Amino acid sequence: MPTKNGTANRFFGQPDVDVVVAGAGFAGLYLLHRLRKMGFSTKVLEAADDVGGTWYWNRYPGARCDIKTIDYSYSFDAELEKEWQWSEKYATQPEILRYLQHVADRFELRTDIEFCRRVESAAWDDDASLWRLRIDSGQEVRCRYYVMATGCLSQPKTLDIEGADRFAGATYFTSRWPHEGVDFTGMRVGVVGTGSSGIQSIPIIAEQAAELTVFQRTPNFSIPAHNGPVAPEDLAALANGREKYREAARRSQAGVPLEPSGQGALQISQEERHALYESLWERGELVPFYLAFNDMYINPAANETLAEFVRNKIRAAVDDPETAEALCPYDHPWGTKRPCLDSNYYQTFNLPHVRLVDLRKTPIARITEQGIDTSAASFGLDALVFATGFDAMTGAIVAVDIAGRQGLQLRDKWAEGPKTYLGLTVAGFPNFFTVTGPGSPSVLSNMTVSIEQHVEWICDCIQHQRREGLETIEATEAAEEGWVQHVNDFGDLTLFPKTKSWYMGANVPGKPRVFLPYIGGVDTYRTVCDEVVQKDYLGFALEGPAESRLNDGVIRPLQPDVSMVLAFLESLEQPPMETMSVAEAREFIVSMAVDRPPGPEVDQIEDGVLPGAAGELAYRLYRPASPGPHPMVVYFHGGGWVLGGHDSDDPFCRDLCVRSEAIVISVDYRHAPEARFPAAPDDGMAALQWIAEYAADLGGIPGQLAVAGWSAGANVAAVVCQMARDTGGPEISGQLLVTPVVDCDFSRSSYIENADGYVLTTPLMQWFWDHYADPAQRLDPKASPLRADNLAHLPPAVVVTCQFDPLRDEGDAYARALAAAGVEVRHLPCRGQIHTSLTAVDMVVSGAAARAQMAAGLQQFIEALVPV
Ligand code: N01
């Protein structure tokens, strides 16, 4: 990791105040409390005339939290927790606002909050190393640190319906509701929008209005809140171990103390699943649904089981079948758009004065003086309520003109989507923090838990600066880029990015489609943030009058699913394989195959034997479903010439067969140490010759024969290509070499970088070589094919290498050497993957794209042989 320390020669001007915080909601209040306790002069600027943030503005009827209130509370002060009693499972907006007012008073926060003050612009003064904020009062405030605690859902979306300003009746926005309330008695009311705000307010508005028309563009999934007093068992759980309860929330997936299931939705019977969903429906909480199965957001079929369960509930609740069907969401998997929690929402449509207008069938044409015209009818209205949502996660931040180093505008930097390091900081914007910013769990978690974690991280960071005599901290470009990539990689494992939602910025016309929150979970994320600190603020440049430090690096460069597999392997607490006997290592490999996903279905699997170089060899043939005959791929399994077999590589062979529509024949070869070098390539060659000769009998197309292999198997594949070229055949149409061993040279950088890293370590590779070949034989081209004098006239190749693999550099070198010798080569370097991850079919989903490209490569070799 490049860590550079130097001497700074910089001037640090005197600020008016150490820290300015924008916003006095949950985040701003806690920031102020904590920073003041640490001795930092702090000023909070709040646009409203009181504290509360979201809970100040969103006063629409029915507004409540949708996480249980005992969980949706501060946990930083035991006394505060003891003295405040929530009256309901899901508290109303007035009660939550009273709570925040109480917190402000209890900790005497108001003295450092300036109300009715909006930050209009913030500019980093590079000469003085401080922020200059311009306030709407005309005042300028200079501060060392600027923290935006402006909320994720606070900037209302600009209304994008023609004629909205023409309406002669009263217009209301749920996000800016009048403080005195609204009486709809006797009125014809129209509500546009059926997200959480609409779904919460519609049943209450219906109680007053003479007529209520709900204009719905996209139906949402909602579950009943079953609200009531706080459950005694919840109170008891908290009372009996407050700190344990809160810690469980902090170390959870979603910020509430619940464990995710380890089970897939399709692993149990329909009856069991239904019973579980029924019990969760009765429970009336969103998070348990999220956690019900571990494949809910990965597998569309798993998700559909819940989606259809909820649709059936809608059909049962709504009398009119046409209205019920219009309320059923089909356009997105459950939960990939924020689901809602309601009280009598669906039942409201059974009331005679309530009707639903399905805007997908008859879109809004315009708003007129009298009401709303759709493509089919005119609706006369006295009042219009817009529950049309927010410019989520980035809207409130870029609403302020923020200029970083060299005048770089945050708005411009984020033009293609937000870029942050940890959702907390932005490269080019020193001493600037965003609480629950894009790239952090935020809206996918219990906000209060995520807010507390961010506040504490920021305050600790500022304190660290002071302790170390440092004045500025700034994320590096590399760290930020790595984090953005990691956030996207995690999102891409799920169904979320495929849904048009505000999580994707899809609700705001022109907003870039980027998955905004971090879906790795509150626990994983907290670990990452802590690790950044433990590694001396990895990914940051820090500066003070006496010194400058640069600790560049990427905190999570592995694909997230690869990390999960590694964490699982670590949990097995196995000794390193190179300390095992060969028998123990083989037993371990067999045990690993027992519970893993089987890989895709292939049409036929046949086991047989063929003659090897010194006796019979077993083979397993995978036949695709398409009508034969098929091209053939001779496959050699991985395992360092010592381990493995058909079973260990079975899912990968199935995958290759299904994707390439070729027969894959996985051939055994003799293993070391019983049969050392050159037993493996000699067997490989014998098998190849036999398969070429009997191709037609096996259902293959004679002459259409490729070879493939993984790791040591790729070594065998590469070597047999050279042997076939030099000994008169058979003709090979292509070679697929997946993370191949091609040279016995431990001095390459990839060996050093990944020496003790990721399943295949340098000592393990040494162990394999020691079992396989005498030192004098190891540089023989039959062991190290990269050493061959001549690489010309070899079959076209796909060479696959993984970023975190000791064998990476030799694979790269082989691809380059083949190309230099005039061989057609496609090199596939796989970012974030390890030596063993690409073959982990259905476990490492992020490897699927590479697996598809490998199969496509094989197909192309073969197609190239087919006469046009
Ligand atoms: O906003 P939304 P929200 N023509 O974006 C429709 C949190 N929250 O304020 O989906 C017609 O969800 C839009 O339609 P479509 C919670 O995280 C929490 O309700 O774009 N319709 C959609 O139906 C929530 O997810 C609570 O097709 C238009 C609706 O307006 C988030 O805040 C309570 C339209 C907007 O739904 C946002 O919720 C409230 C147009 N031109 C909110 N433009 C709690 O319970 C938009 N729509 C804690």
Side-chain angles (χ1 to χ4, degrees), residues 54-55 58 60 62-67 72 153 157-161 174-175 192-200 215-220 331 337-341 359 364 386-390 443 500-503 506-507:
T54 287
W55 300 103
N58 290 269
Y60 59 85
R64 292 174 187 275
C65 57
D66 59 6
I67 295 277
Y72 192 78
L153 293 152
K157 187 185 104 153
T158 308
L159 200 53
D160 51 359
I161 306 175
T174 49
S175 56
V192 180
T194 51
S196 297
S197 305
I199 283 177
Q200 284 185 334
F215 297 89
Q216 171 195 267
R217 190 162 64 183
T218 314
N220 221 331
D331 72 313
K337 211 169 168 162
R338 170 72 183 225
C340 309
L341 201 64
L359 299 179
I364 294 179
F386 292 106
T388 41
F390 300 88
V443 292
K500 264 178 71 186
S501 68
W502 60 255
Y503 293 135
N507 65 327

Side-chain angles (χ1 to χ4, degrees), residues 426-440:
V426 183
F429 295 77
N431 290 7
F432 172 65
F433 297 99
T434 51
V435 181
T436 60
S440 73

Side-chain angles (χ1 to χ4, degrees), residues 217-399:
R217 190 162 64 183
T218 314
N220 221 331
F221 289 103
S222 187
I223 65 158
H226 299 307
N227 201 16
V230 181
E233 59 271 22
D234 285 347
L235 288 175
L238 194 57
N240 293 339
R242 192 191 78 84
E243 198 35 53
K244 196 163 154 240
Y245 184 93
R246 294 300 185 204
E247 192 54 24
R250 291 179 198 122
R251 293 289 164 196
S252 69
Q253 169 89 23
V256 295
L258 293 172
E259 295 281 328
S261 161
Q263 199 170 40
L266 307 177
Q267 285 176 304
I268 57 174
S269 70
Q270 197 184 341
E271 290 71 33
E272 286 171 296
R273 221 170 27 236
H274 195 267
L276 174 67
Y277 290 153
E278 279 291 353
S279 70
L280 295 181
W281 191 262
E282 285 314 307
R283 189 167 163 173
E285 292 172 50
L286 285 175
V287 177
F289 273 108
Y290 275 95
L291 303 179
F293 295 110
N294 63 7
D295 54 355
M296 199 66 99
Y297 300 107
I298 299 166
N299 180 350
N303 189 291
E304 179 57 21
T305 63
L306 176 55
E308 187 55 15
F309 173 86
V310 179
R311 286 186 212 116
N312 280 330
K313 288 290 185 190
I314 298 171
R315 290 174 192 127
V318 179
D319 297 341
D320 172 40
E322 203 182 322
T323 306
E325 215 40 40
L327 286 164
C328 285
Y330 289 97
D331 72 313
H332 65 279
W334 190 92
T336 56
K337 211 169 168 162
R338 170 72 183 225
C340 309
L341 201 64
D342 73 271
S343 297
N344 289 323
Y345 174 63
Y346 293 116
Q347 294 78 356
T348 300
F349 292 93
N350 296 332
L351 299 172
H353 65 293
V354 178
R355 68 187 149 187
L356 181 74
V357 176
D358 185 348
L359 299 179
R360 288 168 305 177
K361 288 189 181 150
T362 57
I364 294 179
R366 69 196 66 78
I367 296 176
T368 65
E369 280 202 354
Q370 291 76 35
I372 288 184
D373 285 356
T374 67
S375 59
S378 293
F379 295 86
L381 302 166
D382 303 312
L384 249 177
V385 175
F386 292 106
T388 41
F390 300 88
D391 182 351
M393 300 207 69
T394 54
I397 299 173
V398 297

